[in-house]
Amino acid sequence: MFALVAGRFAQADSRARAQKYLLGLLSGVERKNSWSLAELAGESSPDGMQRLLNFYRWDAEAVRDDVRGYVLAHLDDPSGVFVGDETGFIKKGTKSAGVQRQYTGTSGKIDNCQVGVFLTYVSRHGRALIDRELYLPQKSWCADRDRCREAGIGDEVEFATKPELARRMLARLLEAGVTVGWFTADELYGDNPALRDWLAEQAVNYVLAVSCDYQVTTPTGPARADVLAGRAPARGWQRLSAGRGSKGHRLYDWLLIDPGPGERHQLLVRRSISDPTDLAYYVCHTAGPVPLAELVRVAGSRWAVKETFQFAKNETGLDHYQVRKYIAWYRHITLAMLAAAFLAVTAHAERIRTPPPPHPAPEKGAPEPILTG
């Protein structure tokens, strides 16, 4: 795996340092910061690891492209889904690029943190992070160019919303000649008309979560998503699995609303089995007719991303860095993504080599375990 990126490090010292850094990220060390990685490499100080992240000349964007190519070469599948989502990195102080008090799902509250927007590839072979962008708040960062320069953020870096950052990552995929069969994301991205329009222009099929007040175009005029769902007949709902979880299939009731002729968007509604008042809404855009079960599968792919974030944080130190500079954030995150991709690819290869035993048949009259919504 390292041979794929070794050429990105022109200096012998930086190349050797990068390999040690990756080995440290793959090690069993609990905290994978510069101090612990240096100690693991037999060094008395973290200076060398810090130089790798802050000063050595190497292109993290090129390594990112290598990560993407590596993942798609080994985990690609015709049914694969690209998922956009963000995660928070809790930090102390005010110097780290992009840090401010803001909401993050990592802690479930407003915290002093950085927020990274990521693109994840999910397929039946595995899942891995393939691209990343650091979100820079407008008022506290992009409007304060002196603060940006202190954190190593160039004057050319301008404010971009999280949906815009997701669009940039998808654009890089398309420019690289990658076929994007499906894209999904949560309401933050689905409620953004510019992103939806761009995806349609690029002929990218999508299933995007939207808010309950999303306006659906109908022959009689716009209607709210929750109003249309409330008008649907009971026979329109179907019980389907959105994928297998740790406790069995994630079963929900699903409703697909086709607004009518000439409208390329459909409304998908998910209803909890245990609490019928708990509804979620998705806008779907496809080049041609797609079965309901396929739309449900794509919508369910988004849940795998939270586990992917947690895996990368726990196993390859995605959030263990101790850097403040803009470029250093990208460099650490990219190397952590590469290490996590190696583990995902290795796990897939092991599954091929040693297939798991088949699930035992349930006893007569015993239903398969399910996780209901």
Side-chain angles (χ1 to χ4, degrees), residues 18 27 83 104-105 177 193 206 253 280 313 331 337 353 359 364:
S27 73
V83 186
T104 171
Y206 63 74
D253 290 331
K313 288 179 178 181
R331 287 179 167 187
M337 285 168 47
R353 191 179 69 162
H359 290 289
K364 188 175 181 180

Side-chain angles (χ1 to χ4, degrees), residues 108-185:
K109 61 181 181 179
I110 294 176
D111 247 321
N112 196 62
C113 65
Q114 296 167 294
V115 172
V117 180
F118 289 80
L119 195 62
T120 303
Y121 182 68
V122 178
S123 80
R124 62 189 179 93
H125 302 311
R127 52 186 184 257
L129 305 171
I130 61 170
D131 207 342
R132 72 289 176 267
E133 289 286 355
L134 179 62
Y135 173 69
L136 298 174
Q138 167 70 307
K139 292 183 179 180
S140 61
W141 279 93
C142 293
D144 188 343
R145 299 319 302 186
D146 289 337
R147 188 184 189 191
C148 284
R149 294 186 194 104
E150 185 180 358
I153 304 170
D155 291 346
E156 75 282 359
V157 179
E158 299 179 347
F159 173 72
T161 64
K162 294 169 186 175
E164 169 61 18
L165 295 177
R167 188 200 66 77
R168 290 180 186 177
M169 292 187 284
L170 287 166
R172 286 197 283 262
L173 271 180
L174 296 173
E175 290 167 3
V178 177
T179 300
V180 182
W182 286 105
F183 176 68
T184 187

Side-chain angles (χ1 to χ4, degrees), residues 84-123:
D85 204 355
E86 72 274 355
T87 189
F89 303 90
I90 309 300
K91 294 294 169 185
K92 296 180 180 179
T94 62
K95 300 297 185 180
S96 299
V99 71
Q100 74 165 20
R101 288 189 59 77
Q102 53 192 322
Y103 177 81
T104 171
T106 301
S107 62
K109 61 181 181 179
I110 294 176
D111 247 321
N112 196 62
C113 65
Q114 296 167 294
V115 172
V117 180
F118 289 80
L119 195 62
T120 303
Y121 182 68
V122 178
S123 80

